[in-house]
Amino acid sequence: MDVTWITDLIGNYAAVLPMLILIVGALLLPATNYVFKKRLPVTSIAMVIVLISLVFNILLLTGTVEDGGVKSAFAHTAAGLFAYDDFSGLMILLFQIVLAIVVFVSGESNETTKLHFGAYMSLLLIATTGMMFVVTAVDLIGIFVGVECVSITSYALVALKRNDPRASEAAVKYVVIGGLSTALTIYGISMIYGALHTLTIADLGLALGAYGYSWAFILGVIAMVAGYGFKIAAAPFHMWAPDVYEGAATPVSILLATGSKKMGLAVFIKVFLVMFVAANALSGIDNDPMQYLFAIIAAITMTIGNIVAIAQHNIKRMLAYSSVAQAGYILIVMAVMSEYALTGGIFHMFTHVFMKGGAFLVVGALIFAGIGEKISDYNGLAKRAPWLAFAMMIFLMSLAGVPPLAGFTSKFVLFSGAIYGDDGVITQWIWLAFVAILNSAISLYYYVKVIRAMYIEKPAKDAKADLKLPKTFCVAIAVCAVLVVVLGIYPAPILDLCAEAASVVFAI
């Protein structure tokens, strides 16, 4: 579809049009809450705003523009600060899907704030806007500001679960660790600037080729990896995640687990992957030391996440450690540094949204129905809520990588990227693929533990026979479950988009 009319209407600012729509909505939502004083109208208006932003992004992502009679894919830069291309557009689509799910279920959730619901919705939109600015930023300062926008709003969203001491404790921990992350990041950026004399992402590789490795550069990279490692909950920077996911309202946990984490991974791709691949291509710099650094982080992250998850009795904490392990899988991309591996990594990000988001939706629906967060509280769930138990089983089996579900397909592409390079030759990272496969087998143990509780264990004598379930949660769960199955059987449409996005990254 020709989208030249959009660029004719607002010029190059079309590159940030999806974000501008959300910003306007975030400014309006507190006022709508003041006027209507009910959740449903505020939620409806927020959903309309999100869908408008989503539609425009899909038009830009799939459309073409005409210049001098020649049609090409939409790719523009706004004010020299933000660039829209296939990679950023696809990541924006991921964030918008997450936001749509969270907004849709927030109105009916009994965990979200009632007193400041308009502000809560506004914070959701601002946090997502920050994620979108991060993936379109063209320099390290733009990325840093976008990440901090997400972080600050996330602190408030976690704390907005009123009358729950766990939320207050989680918010304080989140702020303290987030502050440490910010300090490490800005220190790392300053060291990299001192070593390479540029902050522009497209120039980092060329500058690294010219100046080479130095102690200042290595120190800057380590500081930035640690700082952004907190954002993706990579080991050993993951300790905040279980407390925050447990203490926050379930819709906020969904945003953090499926949205904020993907933003952090996108930063790793935009900064480190682009820089090292470009330096190797332009100057032949050996990237093996950095690749092994990321490989070790990936292996440790997935192993710690899966092993510690086994000991968890709280379902939210178990899912939190599962998210840590999933981050380790995706970090395989940073070790391999190939276009095919990146395709698998982006695809796994998409499937993870529906797998992990669906699992948290089931948890939120059961909390609404009065079911606790302990795994033992799920005993006999298949008899009391057979549809939810079946959906939860699909999500957990997909997370474990059981065929023919989406998690198996995305893991197959991702792990095979560690075995075979873009040229089809077996790589040196086959050991990392083996570690990932072994960890997937380990994860099956604690996922089956939940399924066993739902289908084999008997419910408590005082357990409710009929559960009152929220309709919005049930609809969202159904959509996620269907997509988990469909993307496992027929992944081609999304996989093709992921391949196009990966090719854009490697063309920088």
Side-chain angles (χ1 to χ4, degrees), residues 39-40 43-44 47 100-110 251 361-362 364-365 368 387-388 469-480:
R39 286 187 172 198
L40 182 58
T43 304
S44 301
M47 276 301 299
I101 294 172
V102 173
V103 169
F104 184 65
V105 301
S106 288
E108 204 171 359
S109 173
N110 59 358
L361 285 170
V362 173
F368 180 93
W387 157 240
L388 283 191
L469 301 173
K471 295 179 180 178
T472 54
F473 275 85
C474 291
V475 171
I477 290 168
V479 171
C480 288

Side-chain angles (χ1 to χ4, degrees), residues 66-71:
E66 186 172 343
D67 185 13
V70 179
K71 289 188 176 182

